[in-house]
């Protein structure tokens, strides 16, 4: 019975995380961590480590799928990734100096609001509009957005994928597919850094939930990314909005009863 519950929880968590990653560049940690903590009674540190490990391959395979379909901005994405990593450490240091700085529900609220935003006000920017922006201006914007995302991630401890998607579509003017592709490209490296540090500090977590979450998240991220790259802008906005709204509401309920 315990094995069946573990399998079911990991499947649902992996499906939610994979769909969120493949459709919207969302961090798997936002879905998997609360599920493992609430339904399997797993220690928070261990659950976050499993979530980050699941994020690595899911984000990497999603980035590959988006890249293959020419929906990935590697140059500016790499610049933003380096800035995010640096300022995550800065944000973490700042948070350690401020009492009660954590805002656990930030990522959940962000997911829910962003989902509603994509349904109500879809991103209809075209690639032609996106590429018309001056490359120098785009580079500066990437650095500034990387600073903002990194600091918020480090200070609050959540919301990186959602923050990136919001900034890429709203501030940098990316069309949705390229925004998601660039977001998952960055998330693959940030998740790898986070997972490695978690495993080095706390040791390797329980193997069965780790393997199950990694496999299920990878599978659903691949399915979502393939669908997203073939869908029209209108369909993708609606699908992304619905997935994010459902995930945001589900995570909120899980947190509420945990």
């Amino acid at each position: 019975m315990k094995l069946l519950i573990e399998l079911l929880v990991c499947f649902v968590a992996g499906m939610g995380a994979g769909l969120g990653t493949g459709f919207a560049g969302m961090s798997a940690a936002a879905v998997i961590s609360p599920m493992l903590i609430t339904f399997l009674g797993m220690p928070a540190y261990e659950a976050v480590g499993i979530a980050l490990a699941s994020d690595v391959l899911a984000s990497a395979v999603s980035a590959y799928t988006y890249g293959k379909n020419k929906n990935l901005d590697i140059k500016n994405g790499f610049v933003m990734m380096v800035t995010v990593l640096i300022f995550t450490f800065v944000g973490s240091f700042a948070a350690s100096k401020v009492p009660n700085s954590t805002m656990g529900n930030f990522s959940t609220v962000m997911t829910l609001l962003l989902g509603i935003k994509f349904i109500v006000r879809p991103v209809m920017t075209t690639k032609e509009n996106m590429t018309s922006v001056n490359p120098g201006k785009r580079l500066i914007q990437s650095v500034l957005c990387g600073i903002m995302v990194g600091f918020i991630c480090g200070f609050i401890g959540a919301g990186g994928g959602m923050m990136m998607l919001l900034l890429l579509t709203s501030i940098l003017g990316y069309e949705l597919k390229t925004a998601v592709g660039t977001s998952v490209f960055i998330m693959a490296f940030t998740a790898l850094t986070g997972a490695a540090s978690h495993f080095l500090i706390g040791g390797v977590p329980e193997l069965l939930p780790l393997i199950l979450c990694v496999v299920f998240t990878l599978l659903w991220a691949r399915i979502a990314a393939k669908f997203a790259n073939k869908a029209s802008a209108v369909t993708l906005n609606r699908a992304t909005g619905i997935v994010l709204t459902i995930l945001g509401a589900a995570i909120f309920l899980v947190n509420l009863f945990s």
Side-chain angles (χ1 to χ4, degrees):
M1 187 66 181
K2 186 193 170 192
L3 183 65
L4 187 64
I5 291 170
E6 205 166 75
L7 183 67
L8 184 63
V9 170
C10 290
F11 176 78
V12 173
M15 180 174 68
L19 290 173
T21 301
F23 273 120
M26 183 178 171
S27 170
V31 181
I32 292 177
S33 301
M35 291 281 291
L36 297 183
I37 293 164
T38 304
F39 298 110
L40 298 183
M42 193 175 286
Y45 197 84
E46 196 174 321
V48 171
I50 288 175
L52 287 167
S54 304
D55 219 353
V56 177
L57 288 179
S59 293
V61 77
S62 298
Y64 170 76
T65 306
Y66 278 92
K68 198 169 72 169
N69 288 276
K70 296 181 171 51
N71 292 316
L72 170 58
D73 183 0
I74 291 180
K75 181 190 166 187
N76 291 301
F78 184 79
V79 170
M80 192 184 288
M81 178 194 73
V82 172
T83 319
V84 166
L85 290 174
I86 292 168
F87 277 84
T88 298
F89 287 111
V90 175
S92 297
F93 178 77
S96 70
K97 303 294 179 187
V98 181
N100 302 318
S101 62
T102 52
M103 293 166 59
N105 289 326
F106 176 80
S107 184
T108 307
V109 173
M110 189 91 176
T111 302
L112 193 57
L113 292 178
L114 203 54
I116 295 166
K117 186 254 180 199
F118 279 122
I119 295 170
V120 178
R121 290 190 64 191
V123 177
M124 299 306 291
T125 308
T126 62
K127 281 197 175 176
E128 288 74 24
N129 292 337
M130 196 187 103
T131 52
S132 66
V133 177
N134 180 280
K137 183 184 176 184
R138 174 80 76 212
L139 195 67
I140 293 166
Q141 286 177 328
S142 298
V143 171
L144 293 174
C145 288
I147 290 170
M148 200 183 301
V149 172
F151 188 82
I152 288 170
C153 283
F155 194 79
I156 295 168
M162 294 297 91
M163 275 298 297
M164 256 185 289
L165 187 63
L166 181 63
L167 291 173
L168 287 169
T169 52
S170 302
I171 307 298
L172 273 74
Y174 277 52
E175 58 95 29
L176 187 53
K177 289 180 186 178
T178 309
V180 176
T182 307
S183 179
V184 288
F185 170 74
I186 296 167
M187 290 304 294
F189 291 95
T190 54
L192 179 61
T193 307
S197 62
H198 261 71
F199 291 168
L200 282 170
I201 295 165
V204 178
E206 200 180 327
L207 279 178
L208 184 60
L210 172 64
I211 292 165
L212 288 174
C213 284
V214 168
V215 170
F216 289 139
T217 307
L218 180 64
L219 172 69
W220 285 99
R222 175 70 172 153
I223 291 168
K226 284 193 84 168
F227 173 82
N229 277 280
K230 289 178 181 174
S232 67
V234 175
T235 304
L236 182 58
N237 272 277
R238 282 180 185 158
T240 303
I242 291 165
V243 167
L244 289 179
T245 304
I246 291 170
L247 285 177
I251 298 162
F252 177 76
L253 290 172
V254 167
N255 286 332
L256 192 67
F257 294 107
S258 61

